[in-house]
């Protein structure tokens, strides 16, 4: 179902994006129709939605909310026209089939490093990005890396698994593969073919166990209505850092790339408390740390993250 577009807000958004040099292409996104949780797996059905429709509708919700909050205006029902129209209540959030529910995948990356005479004992490097001014959302905020919309690059039916987007984003955002950038387009028939993989990715996939990727959480974002697949990517083999640590470089979507040691508990506590986190980025960070803490590994001294389920006061 197409969402109605507020023409005045849409024109303002397009003008703002043009002035700031934001990259926007009307590529298809995977739209989530429904979701099911069975046997520790997340299943669902997907369709396609044009990026422009999302950019000019649901993606305006966060800006409207932030603007009202910064001006001290009320945010209750009836005070935010866009939210009242696109995402008025929790029932609207859960009724994914009645709206364009798009979203993405983002992963906390933990890369094993050998002991170093200057840095200290062996640890894992956790990667955190500062989002650049050229991205559409989470501009200037912190996020894990990679982070990307779940979307097909070539074959819409074959690329529906979240892992397809996750591995493609690793290639694009950390290993410098511009031909897998969904905003630029490519004439390559199979950009993720083994023969075209970057040297770091090819090495990781050459032997089982070198790369571990898993979903750590699924959520529906109450700010944007998007679905979010939080993930964890772990590279256990310290030889990867020795061979390819110098090849890791964020792409245009990041204005900076930070590294945090899993032995520096104090600094990680400060990182968690940083007020510049994007909401989905913090979700993925905390879920990743929670999962890492389930390992008994001397290279880990990270904050404990606990998940609890609570009922609201309005629930029976």
């Amino acid at each position: 179902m197409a969402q109605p577009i507020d023409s005045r807000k849409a024109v303002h958004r397009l003008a703002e994006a043009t002035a700031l040099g934001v990259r926007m292409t009307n590529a298809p996104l995977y739209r989530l129709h429904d979701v099911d949780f069975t046997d520790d797996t997340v299943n669902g059905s997907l369709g396609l939605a044009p990026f422009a429709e999302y950019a000019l509708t649901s993606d305006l919700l966060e800006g409207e909310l932030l603007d009202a909050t910064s001006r001290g205006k009320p945010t209750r029902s009836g005070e935010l026209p866009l939210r009242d129209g696109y995402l008025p209540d929790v029932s609207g959030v859960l009724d994914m089939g009645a709206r364009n529910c798009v979203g993405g995948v983002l992963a906390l990356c933990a890369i094993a490093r050998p002991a170093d005479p200057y840095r200290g004992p062996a640890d894992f490097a956790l990667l955190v990005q500062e989002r650049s001014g050229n991205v559409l959302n989470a501009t200037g905020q912190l996020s894990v890396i990679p982070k990307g919309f779940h979307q097909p690059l070539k074959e819409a039916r074959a690329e529906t698994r979240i892992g397809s987007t996750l591995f493609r984003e690793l290639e694009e955002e950390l290993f410098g593969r511009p031909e897998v950038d969904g905003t630029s387009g490519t004439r390559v028939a199979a950009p993720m073919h083994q023969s075209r993989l970057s040297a770091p990715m090819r090495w990781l996939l050459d032997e089982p166990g070198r790369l571990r990727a898993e979903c750590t959480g699924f959520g529906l974002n109450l700010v944007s209505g998007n679905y979010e697949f939080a993930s964890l990517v772990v590279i256990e083999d310290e030889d990867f850092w020795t061979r390819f640590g110098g090849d890791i470089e964020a792409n245009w979507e990041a204005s900076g790339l930070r590294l945090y040691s899993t032995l520096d508990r104090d600094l990680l506590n400060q990182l968690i408390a940083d007020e510049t986190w994007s909401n989905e980025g913090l979700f993925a960070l905390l879920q990743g740390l929670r999962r890492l803490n389930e390992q008994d590994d001397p290279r880990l001294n990270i904050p404990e993250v606990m998940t609890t389920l609570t009922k609201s006061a309005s629930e029976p």
Side-chain angles (χ1 to χ4, degrees):
M1 177 185 294
Q3 292 177 274
I5 295 177
D6 183 315
S7 58
R8 184 178 63 86
K9 297 283 188 181
V11 169
H12 181 269
R13 182 57 182 277
L14 291 172
E16 181 183 55
T18 301
L20 296 176
V22 174
R23 289 197 190 184
M24 289 180 60
T25 57
N26 196 25
L29 303 176
Y30 282 122
R31 170 191 172 190
L32 188 62
H33 291 293
D34 56 66
V35 65
D36 175 66
F37 305 92
T38 306
D39 298 328
D40 295 326
T41 62
V42 182
N43 299 298
S45 60
L46 298 167
L48 294 174
F51 181 83
E53 186 173 313
Y54 159 74
L56 301 179
T57 55
S58 303
D59 193 51
L60 301 175
L61 293 174
E62 183 170 5
E64 180 188 56
L65 181 61
L66 291 174
D67 182 62
T69 303
S70 65
R71 294 170 182 266
K73 294 182 177 180
T75 58
R76 58 181 176 270
S77 178
E79 301 289 345
L80 302 174
L82 291 175
R83 185 165 298 275
D84 290 338
Y86 301 145
L87 209 65
D89 49 35
V90 175
S91 296
V93 174
L94 298 177
D95 192 4
M96 292 168 282
R99 61 186 178 87
N100 271 341
C101 181
V102 304
V105 59
L106 54 169
L108 175 65
C109 282
I111 305 175
R113 300 187 294 187
D116 182 272
Y118 300 101
R119 188 184 64 248
D123 65 355
F124 286 92
L126 302 180
L127 306 183
V128 173
Q129 65 167 310
E130 302 164 41
R131 301 281 283 172
S132 79
N134 296 322
V135 294
L136 183 71
N137 49 34
T139 304
Q141 296 180 303
L142 295 181
S143 184
V144 294
I145 186 169
K147 164 183 164 59
F149 284 104
H150 187 33
Q151 62 185 136
L153 191 61
K154 290 296 178 179
E155 296 183 77
R157 191 177 297 277
E159 298 174 44
T160 55
R161 290 183 177 274
I162 288 296
S164 296
T165 292
L166 178 57
F167 279 73
R168 188 174 69 232
E169 291 293 317
L170 282 171
E171 278 284 73
E172 176 196 347
E173 295 188 19
L174 289 180
F175 301 147
R177 291 278 311 285
E179 67 268 37
V180 294
D181 183 348
T183 66
S184 61
T186 177
R187 294 189 296 271
V188 178
M192 288 298 289
H193 190 277
Q194 185 177 9
S195 63
R196 301 190 66 88
L197 296 178
S198 65
M201 182 63 82
R202 188 178 298 114
W203 186 88
L204 287 170
L205 299 181
D206 270 348
E207 291 186 14
R210 284 179 171 172
L211 175 69
R212 174 163 58 90
E214 58 184 282
C215 178
T216 56
F218 170 84
L220 291 172
N221 193 320
L222 296 184
V223 174
S224 65
N226 290 359
Y227 61 84
E228 314 286 3
F229 279 92
S231 305
L232 174 66
V233 172
V234 181
I235 301 173
E236 300 272 5
D237 192 333
E238 296 174 0
D239 195 32
F240 175 84
W241 185 263
T242 302
R243 290 170 177 260
F244 301 110
D247 293 316
I248 299 172
E249 181 179 357
N251 71 347
W252 62 270
E253 296 179 43
S255 61
L257 185 63
R258 305 182 187 178
L259 270 66
Y260 291 84
S261 170
T262 53
L263 293 178
D264 197 334
R265 191 185 185 99
D266 290 339
L267 198 56
L268 287 173
N269 275 317
Q270 294 178 34
L271 174 66
I272 292 171
D274 195 307
E275 295 182 352
T276 60
W277 274 101
S278 61
N279 51 58
E280 67 274 14
L282 184 59
F283 171 54
L285 172 71
L286 295 177
Q287 287 294 94
L289 291 176
R290 179 191 58 79
R291 180 69 174 123
L292 280 173
N293 248 332
E294 295 176 2
Q295 298 180 206
D296 183 16
D297 192 317
R299 295 174 292 185
L300 297 173
N301 182 26
I302 57 181
E304 292 185 17
V305 177
M306 302 186 67
T307 303
T308 58
L309 297 177
T310 60
K311 288 186 176 183
S312 69
S314 61
E315 290 183 287

